Amino acid sequence: MNRLGPILLAVLLLVGGCVDLPGEAGPPPASRLLAGTFRLARDPESPAAIWTRQNAGGKSPAFEPIQRDIAYTPVAHRFTAADVDLSQHVRDYLAQAAKQRWMPMLVAAFTEPGVCPAERSPAVGDLARGLGDGKAIVVLEPRLLGGQCADTAGVTRYLNASVRQLRAEAPNAFVFLDVSAGGTVDEQRAWLISSGVAQAAGVTFGVGDYTPAAQLAGPARKLHDALAAATGRSDYFLLADSSRNGAVVTGTCNPAGARIGPDSVLSDQPGALQQAWLTVPGVSDGPCGAAPASRAGEFVPDLARQLTG
C-alpha cells in the first residue's frame, strides 16, 4: 500500500442496466468488480484535508503524519440532513470527482442516533436529485439497522422506501445498506431483506468501528450466503470500513493503540470482503479514550496523529 503516490483502483463500474417505468425502482445496476481503472475519490472537504490546508507551514507535530497518511487518502464524504442545499452539494461533489475519473463515496447519515426515522425523508429525495445519473458508492444510514431506535419495523420501512427512491431516481448509484450496529447473521438477513437489499448493491460492515477485517470476513461471508439463498442473488458486494481497523484494540470509543487500516482492498471474488475508508481518521467518537476532552464528530489532530502510529 502506497499512500504517497496515486493509487489506481478498479472499482464498481456500470456495464449495463435496465429500463424502468418512470417513478419505479428497478434492480440494482448491472456491475462487476475490476471492470475499469478508477481511483476512489479523495475528499478535499474532509476535516483532515481542511486542517492540513489551514495549518500548512505551521509547527504542529501532527501536520506531517496527517498530510502524509490521511489528508490525501481516498475517503467517503459524510452528508447529513443539515447540509445546506444538499442536492447541489452532492451534485458538485460528483462533478468534481468525475473530472478526475474518481469514484466518489458518500455516506448518507440523515438519522440522528436514537431517533426513529419517518418512512419518507426529504433528505433522501435531495440526495437522489443530487446524484441524478452520476456514478457513486452510497452508504445509506450507517448504524441505523440494529441501532438505538427500537422501532425495527419502522426502520426497515424507511430504508426500503429510501432504497426504492434512490434506485428509481439515481439509477447509477451503488447503494449499500449497513449492519455495523450488530445483530446475529439471522437478524441481519431478516432486517436487510425487509429493508430492500434485493435492490441494493451490497452491505457495509464496521462503519466507524475498529474491528480488523479478519474478524469481519467470516460473518460477512455467512451473511452474503444467507442473502443469496433468500433472494437468489449472489452478486452482493461486501464492504468494510478500514479507516481505523489497522490494529486489534480494546474498547470502541477512541481506543488507545488504534491505527489506520488499508485505504483499499478490492477483489473480484464473490463474497470477498472489500475495504475502503468510510470514516475520516481523527474524527472523535466522543469525550473518551485517547481524546477525553473532545466532542463526537470533532476532528482532533493529535488523535489523527496517534492513528498513524
Side-chain angles (χ1 to χ4, degrees):
M1 178 176 58
N2 178 8
R3 291 191 176 86
L4 299 180
I7 305 174
L8 291 181
L9 299 176
V11 297
L12 296 165
L13 179 66
L14 182 69
V15 297
C18 299
V19 178
D20 305 319
L21 296 176
E24 292 194 5
S31 56
R32 56 193 172 96
L33 282 178
L34 307 180
T37 302
F38 277 74
R39 304 170 191 259
L40 290 177
R42 297 173 179 173
D43 179 10
E45 303 174 21
S46 81
I50 291 172
W51 182 88
T52 299
R53 291 196 297 270
Q54 292 174 341
N55 289 272
K59 298 181 179 180
S60 170
F63 180 82
E64 183 177 346
I66 291 174
Q67 181 187 47
R68 181 188 65 231
D69 295 334
I70 296 176
Y72 301 108
T73 298
V75 66
H77 183 87
R78 190 178 187 89
F79 290 88
T80 72
D83 271 287
V84 177
D85 198 352
L86 177 60
S87 289
Q88 189 61 49
H89 191 180
V90 171
R91 195 173 297 115
D92 291 344
Y93 196 74
L94 264 63
Q96 172 183 260
K99 288 180 181 179
Q100 305 294 331
R101 272 185 63 85
W102 289 348
M103 175 66 80
M105 299 183 290
L106 288 64
V107 172
F110 298 147
T111 305
E112 294 292 331
V115 175
C116 293
E119 184 167 338
R120 295 282 181 175
S121 166
V124 174
D126 290 341
L127 172 65
R129 285 186 289 276
L131 289 166
D133 292 331
K135 295 185 180 73
I137 295 169
V138 179
V139 180
L140 185 61
E141 298 285 16
R143 313 194 73 83
L144 182 57
L145 276 174
Q148 298 176 27
C149 172
D151 183 9
T152 302
V155 167
T156 59
R157 284 195 300 271
Y158 162 69
L159 290 173
N160 193 303
S162 300
V163 171
R164 289 184 63 82
Q165 183 169 10
L166 289 169
R167 290 296 312 115
E169 299 180 24
N172 293 334
F174 297 92
V175 180
F176 284 75
L177 291 168
D178 180 68
V179 294
S180 299
T184 65
V185 169
D186 286 342
E187 288 172 331
Q188 291 173 349
R189 176 190 57 80
W191 295 338
L192 290 167
I193 290 172
S194 296
S195 298
V197 73
Q199 294 181 327
V203 183
T204 52
F205 304 83
V207 177
D209 284 353
Y210 300 85
T211 308
Q215 296 179 24
L216 293 172
R221 182 53 192 260
K222 288 181 180 178
L223 179 59
H224 174 276
D225 293 346
L227 291 174
T231 67
R233 281 185 53 199
S234 59
D235 61 343
Y236 292 108
F237 293 106
L238 310 177
L239 178 61
D241 183 358
S242 56
S243 58
R244 307 186 294 184
N245 74 347
V248 177
V249 296
T250 300
T252 59
C253 192
N254 302 325
R259 296 290 183 268
I260 55 176
D263 51 63
S264 67
V265 176
L266 300 177
S267 169
D268 58 358
Q269 296 181 355
L273 188 64
Q274 322 295 317
Q275 297 184 65
W277 284 15
L278 303 178
T279 304
V280 177
V283 170
S284 174
D285 301 318
C288 54
S294 67
R295 302 184 308 276
E298 175 188 3
F299 181 72
V300 181
D302 189 57
L303 184 59
R305 182 187 59 80
Q306 293 177 53
L307 286 166
T308 67

